[in-house]
Amino acid sequence: METLLLKNGFLNMEVDPSLDIFEEIKKLKKEKNAILLAHYYQENDIQDAADYIGDSLGLSQQAAKTDADVIVFAGVHFMAETAKILCPEKKVLLPDLRAGCSLADSCPPKEFANFKAQHPDHIVITYINCSAEIKALSDIICTSSNAVQIVESLPPQQKIIFAPDKNLGNYISKKTGREMVLWNGSCMVHEIFSLEKITKLKHYHPNAKFIAHPECEQAVLALADFIGSTTALLSYTIKSPAKEFIVATETGILHQMEKSSPEKTFIPAPPNNNCACNDCPHMKLNTLEKLYLCLKYEQPEIKMSKSLLDKARLPINRMLELSAKYGL
Ligand code: 13P
Ligand code: SF4
C-alpha cells in the first residue's frame, strides 16, 4: 500500500461526487476482508454502511470475535484502540484520528496514577471511555451495559475506585448501594442537557417516556422513566408500548430508533445552548467520505507499543469474561 501523507489526522482528499460511495465501500470491504464497526452516535450514512452497529460492549465483543483482516472503526479513538488491543495482529483503521472523547481526556494517566497510589487497597474499575494508558492502570474495564454486574461481582468489603465518569459512577453507586471513590470526569455531551427545557418538553408531551444515558447528571437521571446504555435505550423504545420518547443522549441513536419503530416519535432532549439537539463533536468528525478514503488507502491506522497493548488487554478481557458469565 502506497504511503500517503496524513494531514491533521485524516486523509484530506477530494472524493469524486459522482461515485456511489456505498457501493465502493461494499467492494473494498470484500476485497480487503474488512469489517465496518460503527457506534450509534455516527452519522446516519455511516450507520447504514456498517456491518455491525452497537454500544461500547457490543462493539468490543464484535472486535474480539471477528475473523476479518481489517477493522474499520467508525467511532472515537478509545473505541478503535480497544479493538486494536483485542486484535493486535489486525489492521485497525479510524477515519479521523482527531475523533477523541472529552471523558477520556478528563483522565490523564499521570494524575490518575497518583490518584490510584493514594488508594492502594482499592480495585480500579474503569469505564471503557478512557485511553489505553488508563486501561493499563485498571483492574477491570466496564461499559454502561455491564457496570452494575461488574461492581456487584466483587465481594462487599472490596474497596473500589471508579473512573473516569463521575455521573455513571454515582448512578452505579446508587443502583448497587456500594460506596466508591470516584474520579471527577464527565462527558461534554451528556452534561449539557437542560433540566428546564426537559421539564417543559415533558409537560407538552405528557405521554412521552423520558429515557436517558447514565452519563447524564443526577438531576436529569432523576426525571427518567428508563436509564441505560445506547443499546438498552434502543431496545426499550422497541419493546415499550409508548408512542413518544424524549431521548437524553447523543442524537445519532435516533436513526436506529426511527428505523426500528417508524410509527413512534422520538424527540431529542435539548441542551442548555441554542441548539435543538446534542451532537458529539468528536463522533461527528467521521464522515462517509473519510470512511471510504480510510478503507481505500488503509490510513489512518491505530498503532501502539506491544507492552501497552498487553497491559491494557488484561482488564478488557476480565470485562469480556464477566460479561459472558452474566449473559451480557
Ligand atoms: P454506550 O454506547 O456504550 O452506551 O456508550 C455511550 C457513549 O457515550 C460512547 O461514547
Ligand atoms: Fe466521549 Fe461523550 Fe462523545 Fe461519547 S458522547 S465519545 S463519552 S464526548
Side-chain angles (χ1 to χ4, degrees):
M1 178 63 50
E2 147 196 22
T3 308
L4 292 163
L5 251 192
L6 277 174
K7 282 211 182 82
N8 305 322
F10 67 103
L11 293 166
N12 193 2
M13 299 159 78
E14 288 289 318
V15 176
D16 177 355
S18 66
L19 207 67
D20 182 342
I21 302 191
F22 286 101
E23 215 29 64
E24 291 303 312
I25 290 176
K26 214 190 259 175
K27 267 197 255 163
L28 286 166
K29 278 194 307 191
K30 201 167 171 201
E31 203 178 290
K32 295 170 189 268
N33 187 27
I35 187 171
L36 170 53
L37 304 180
H39 188 267
Y40 290 118
Y41 296 165
Q42 291 295 286
E43 62 174 40
N44 296 358
D45 281 349
I46 294 183
Q47 293 190 36
D48 291 342
D51 296 299
Y52 175 84
I53 319 162
D55 66 0
S56 307
L57 177 63
L59 288 163
S60 330
Q61 288 166 329
Q62 289 294 319
K65 72 177 187 200
T66 185
D67 54 10
D69 296 313
V70 178
I71 298 175
V72 188
F73 214 110
V76 289
H77 197 270
F78 76 81
M79 295 179 169
E81 251 184 7
T82 304
K84 181 70 185 173
I85 294 164
L86 288 167
C87 313
E89 74 295 346
K90 295 189 195 302
K91 193 171 249 185
V92 178
L93 306 168
L94 179 66
D96 192 324
L97 282 182
R98 298 170 304 166
C101 168
S102 65
L103 183 49
D105 291 346
S106 70
C107 193
K110 214 169 148 199
E111 282 83 339
F112 188 66
N114 288 336
F115 181 75
K116 187 181 153 179
Q118 287 161 26
H119 304 91
D121 51 350
H122 287 55
I123 268 200
V124 181
I125 301 186
T126 308
Y127 190 35
I128 198 163
N129 298 37
C130 64
S131 65
E133 288 80 4
I134 296 293
K135 288 187 174 75
L137 290 166
S138 307
D139 296 301
I140 316 177
I141 298 303
C142 72
T143 75
S144 46
S145 286
N146 56 25
V148 166
Q149 289 86 346
I150 287 180
V151 167
E152 283 177 342
S153 74
L154 299 174
Q157 67 281 7
Q158 176 62 59
K159 294 178 182 165
I160 302 170
I161 289 178
F162 189 91
D165 190 3
K166 63 173 179 204
N167 294 318
L168 177 66
N170 270 318
Y171 169 71
I172 301 298
S173 207
K174 260 200 182 144
K175 278 276 275 193
T176 59
R178 299 283 291 254
E179 223 178 273
M180 304 191 289
V181 177
L182 304 181
W183 178 264
N184 189 19
S186 60
C187 156
M188 62 190 284
V189 178
H190 289 87
E191 269 214 329
I192 62 160
F193 287 111
S194 159
L195 205 57
E196 200 187 325
K197 290 183 193 169
I198 292 171
T199 310
K200 226 183 239 173
L201 258 184
K202 277 169 68 75
H203 175 73
Y204 287 117
H205 300 268
N207 297 322
K209 292 286 180 200
F210 175 55
I211 60 175
H213 194 279
E215 285 176 25
C216 295
E217 289 179 319
Q218 281 187 75
V220 170
L221 294 180
L223 299 179
D225 296 298
F226 180 76
I227 299 166
S229 75
T230 50
T231 297
L233 294 176
L234 174 61
S235 349
Y236 178 82
T237 62
I238 295 170
K239 288 181 199 144
S240 166
K243 291 278 172 262
E244 257 188 324
F245 300 86
I246 301 167
V247 185
T249 190
E250 213 268 1
T251 40
I253 186 75
L254 266 66
H255 185 48
Q256 295 306 319
M257 289 177 174
E258 282 161 352
K259 270 176 103 169
S260 309
S261 309
E263 74 291 0
K264 298 182 181 177
T265 305
F266 301 96
I267 309 163
N272 56 16
N273 54 30
N274 291 331
C275 303
C277 54
N278 205 3
D279 279 339
C280 170
H282 307 290
M283 286 278 182
K284 295 309 200 266
L285 277 175
N286 295 326
T287 61
L288 194 67
E289 287 75 16
K290 283 183 197 163
L291 179 67
Y292 158 70
L293 290 169
C294 149
L295 184 54
K296 181 167 177 182
Y297 297 106
E298 300 183 20
Q299 285 188 47
E301 187 184 350
I302 301 289
K303 287 193 172 151
M304 274 176 275
S305 71
K306 186 179 172 330
S307 70
L308 180 57
L309 284 165
D310 290 346
K311 273 191 215 143
R313 193 174 308 111
L314 292 170
I316 303 176
N317 278 340
R318 280 190 199 117
M319 168 186 85
L320 292 176
E321 282 156 22
L322 283 168
S323 300
K325 183 173 161 194
Y326 296 111
L328 300 168

